[in-house]
Amino acid sequence: MYSSSLADAPAVREPLHAPVAHLVRGGVIEGIHYGSVVVLGADGEVQFQLGDVEVACYPRSALKPVQAVAMVRAGLPLDGELLSLAAASHSGEERHLAGTRRILELADVTEDDLRNVTDLPFDPVVRDAWVREGRLPSRLAQNCSGKHAAMLYTCKLNGWSLEGYLDPAHPLQRAIAEIVEDLTGQHIARVTVDGCGAPLFSVSLHGLARAAARITTAPAGTPEARVAGAMREHAEMASGTGRDVAALMRAVPGLLAKDGFEGVEVAALPDGRAVAVKIADGANRARIPVTAAALARAGVDPDLLGEFAGEPLLGGGEPVGSVRPVRALDPVASATYA
């Protein structure tokens, strides 16, 4: 289904994004969200594309399942909710903080060993409560702390230095880069620094979708299958209470999904069908409706996706419009629903 040789790194240039969603208010298109969408069939071939799916982009946190696979391949022994947390952009709820502390304990390291940035919890309700209680930003509360704790654990198990574990030249990051290329099927275009401080690898949207499909179609017991199973079974540990990505995984049987900052989303089914979305302006309000439309285009039953049509636009407190995916994303009549 997939070639064993790596494709060239995607081109670094201005993306040729296309309209992917309309902001419709009172029957008039008030705004347009540009972006790119790719849909892969179960055979790994591109079934649909819109915009520029081969240009280099930064997947942001949508790449975390791949990073988790790399750590499991390197010996990380986590499973269940702690492995889900290792691939998380968590909300900063107490269960996320407790889980991260548990990973640190297993690694016999402390919060002081973490090198992610300090931050308040990602979830606005949790963050407001945190501030009311007079709590300060911390590395533990930052949404990537589970991944960083898992990185430290992986280093400890392999005898790698804990100092500089975020350096792209560190053995951990070299191992992750190797798996990024393996699963995406292409060389990395650029390496920069993500918001949390970890290396961020640039691949194409097509490559991101291919990586997700390879994770969900891997045989039982493999690192890929372990990561996919943990994230699906503990979706709220990979995100948080009320988060749309967790709701999407609950709504569509067998779906693995991961969001990323700047309007990125990737999702894949157990048979290898996969979608990847990039909203050019990073707008969160367009990410989920476009992802749901792409999944419908891939053959997922639209009835399972109704709650992801997007929040209504309000005028005077009443619904007067919505964010609507463009017509090109309408499901094809011949789709077979999963």
Side-chain angles (χ1 to χ4, degrees):
M1 183 168 77
Y2 296 104
S3 171
S4 59
S5 60
L6 293 180
D8 291 340
V12 178
R13 55 170 170 76
E14 182 178 351
L16 303 175
H17 291 304
V20 294
H22 292 151
L23 181 68
V24 181
R25 182 184 296 270
V28 173
I29 296 176
E30 183 179 32
I32 301 174
H33 289 291
Y34 284 73
S36 296
V37 180
V38 64
V39 177
L40 303 185
D43 59 359
E45 296 298 315
V46 175
Q47 300 298 310
F48 173 83
Q49 60 182 309
L50 185 62
D52 198 346
V53 304
E54 303 296 353
V55 70
C57 72
Y58 287 120
R60 303 299 299 271
S61 288
L63 200 61
K64 282 179 178 173
V66 178
Q67 293 171 308
V69 168
M71 288 188 279
V72 174
R73 286 195 188 184
L76 184 70
L78 300 178
D79 279 302
E81 62 180 14
L82 293 185
L83 181 53
S84 183
L85 184 60
S89 300
H90 66 70
S91 291
E93 299 167 35
E94 285 302 324
R95 60 176 160 181
H96 300 129
L97 307 187
T100 301
R101 290 190 190 98
R102 179 58 180 152
I103 297 173
L104 293 172
E105 290 171 1
L106 290 169
D108 193 25
V109 296
T110 71
E111 185 178 348
D112 291 338
D113 293 300
L114 293 170
R115 289 295 177 265
N116 58 312
V117 298
T118 61
D119 203 354
L120 295 170
F122 177 75
D123 182 271
V125 175
V126 179
R127 182 171 60 246
D128 288 348
W130 188 282
V131 172
R132 285 196 303 271
E133 294 165 7
R135 302 169 76 176
L136 298 175
S138 74
R139 299 187 194 276
L140 202 64
Q142 198 267 338
N143 75 88
C144 302
S145 64
K147 178 183 77 174
H148 282 255
M151 285 181 170
L152 288 171
Y153 196 4
T154 304
C155 290
K156 200 73 178 290
L157 291 165
N158 285 278
W160 297 332
S161 170
L162 301 187
E163 292 296 325
Y165 75 91
L166 298 183
D167 187 329
H170 189 280
L172 170 69
Q173 301 303 335
R174 292 204 307 267
I176 290 174
E178 180 181 342
I179 303 309
V180 169
E181 293 190 331
D182 178 33
L183 293 180
T184 63
Q186 61 188 180
H187 289 289
I188 293 166
R190 293 282 174 88
V191 181
T192 188
V193 183
D194 209 341
C196 65
L200 177 61
F201 306 103
S202 179
V203 295
S204 70
L205 207 60
H206 184 183
L208 179 63
R210 184 162 46 224
R214 287 180 168 177
I215 290 172
T216 58
T217 58
T222 60
E224 292 89 337
R226 284 172 55 190
V227 170
M231 293 181 69
R232 285 188 294 236
E233 293 166 23
H234 304 277
E236 283 78 10
M237 284 298 280
S239 53
T241 303
R243 293 272 292 280
D244 53 42
V245 67
L248 188 62
M249 283 194 276
R250 290 194 303 269
V252 180
L255 186 72
L256 173 69
K258 184 69 187 75
D259 54 346
F261 280 158
E262 298 303 323
V264 181
E265 182 98 15
V266 66
L269 291 153
D271 65 1
R273 286 175 291 161
V275 308
V277 169
K278 165 65 180 175
I279 307 300
D281 61 1
N284 211 41
R285 67 183 180 187
R287 173 183 53 83
I288 273 291
V290 172
T291 298
L295 285 169
R297 198 71 167 67
V300 173
D301 187 346
D303 289 342
L304 300 176
L305 301 167
E307 67 178 290
F308 307 103
E311 297 180 2
L313 299 178
L314 302 181
E318 298 296 327
V320 294
S322 63
V323 176
R324 301 177 189 172
V326 296
R327 290 188 181 277
L329 282 164
D330 287 348
V332 292
S334 60
T336 56
Y337 296 144

